[in-house]
Amino acid sequence: SKRFKLPRKALLNIGCGSPSIALPEELSVYKEVRIDIDPKVRPDIVASATDLSPIASEAASAVYTSHTLEHLMPHEAKIALHEYRRVLKKNGILF
């Protein structure tokens, strides 16, 4: 699959939802890359939280996710958390 080139200091907003939903102000130091399974919300990357294959391992400075894990089955939540860790840089932060 094709890999998405991330900007420097990328923050992956996984399960971003509508573009009108703003990130917390303290995260403005990052360059947001919006990811959602629903193409109608116009994400930068259409992908599932359980399959972030368009993103290389250790490519993101931060991952932000809010109200996403509760929409997954328990076994899927474990897969999603593994994917979040995979795409994070060694010193990356999960919000």
Side-chain angles (χ1 to χ4, degrees):
S1 66
K2 184 175 185 261
R3 292 290 167 112
F4 187 88
K5 174 95 169 106
L6 295 182
R8 191 171 169 275
K9 267 196 100 143
L11 174 139
L12 304 179
N13 182 354
I14 301 172
C16 61
S18 169
S20 65
I21 301 170
L23 287 174
E25 181 63 33
E26 61 269 20
L27 301 182
S28 65
V29 298
Y30 296 100
K31 173 64 179 149
E32 180 185 16
V33 176
R34 299 174 66 253
I35 300 171
D36 203 287
I37 198 166
D38 184 358
K40 292 182 198 135
V41 300
R42 301 186 317 274
D44 299 306
I45 302 172
V46 175
S48 167
T50 61
D51 180 8
L52 298 173
S53 59
I55 301 156
S57 297
E58 299 181 29
S61 296
V63 166
Y64 175 85
T65 189
S66 179
H67 302 287
T68 302
L69 290 173
E70 68 262 28
H71 295 282
L72 303 175
M73 298 298 292
H75 71 281
E76 292 174 318
K78 183 177 180 180
I79 294 167
L81 289 169
H82 280 283
E83 279 290 86
Y84 299 169
R85 180 66 195 103
R86 181 188 65 76
V87 299
L88 272 173
K89 293 180 179 177
K90 289 290 183 211
N91 294 320
I93 300 171
L94 173 63
F95 295 95

